[in-house]
Amino acid sequence: MTFQEIKPKVTDITLDTNLSRDEKLLAVCKLLNESIDYYNWVGFYFANHETRTLHLGPYIGAETDHTIIPFGKGICGQVAVSNDNFVVPDVAAQDNYIACSFTVKSEIVVPLFVNGENIGQIDIDSHVINPFTDADERFLEFVNEEIAKLY
């Protein structure tokens, strides 16, 4: 399925009045995981700015021990500080990387902004080296724009 085909499905999920916010987030994770073959782990982390930590929200994929990540640590923690997308073509080449699983080969993290504030991020792991393109970044920015409407 193409990104263009998935976009209206994301919007439909976010507009579903029968689902709670967390159920919507989980449904989006499931949709992305099932629709894009190289999206092997899809999840959301949310920021606690007082403690400068990220907290794992809904996700689909292998269990992770990384339920709380300090700002600045790993790819997610760096995005919490930089407010910029971060694409890692090969996690083995990254110094500040928190390994979730030996099967993860690459990662993309895109911040989630609500009213100009970085409240969290969508995090995607892939079992493939270097699968992410500019199209993935633009698509995930769209996903986060739709998710931001829930806050």
Side-chain angles (χ1 to χ4, degrees), residues 101-119:
S101 165
F102 69 91
T103 59
V104 176
K105 304 294 183 211
S106 56
E107 182 173 11
I108 183 171
V109 179
V110 176
L112 171 60
F113 295 100
V114 174
N115 299 322
E117 180 183 16
N118 182 349
I119 68 154

Side-chain angles (χ1 to χ4, degrees), residues 115-129:
N115 299 322
E117 180 183 16
N118 182 349
I119 68 154
Q121 53 205 226
I122 190 167
D123 179 19
I124 315 275
D125 291 342
S126 179
H127 299 162
V128 179
I129 289 181

Side-chain angles (χ1 to χ4, degrees), residues 54-87:
L54 293 166
H55 298 261
L56 182 61
Y59 72 94
I60 294 287
E63 284 193 40
T64 179
D65 292 336
H66 306 289
T67 59
I68 300 174
I69 299 173
F71 282 17
K73 186 162 174 57
I75 308 310
C76 292
Q78 290 176 73
V79 169
V81 173
S82 73
N83 296 323
D84 294 322
N85 298 350
F86 199 153
V87 178

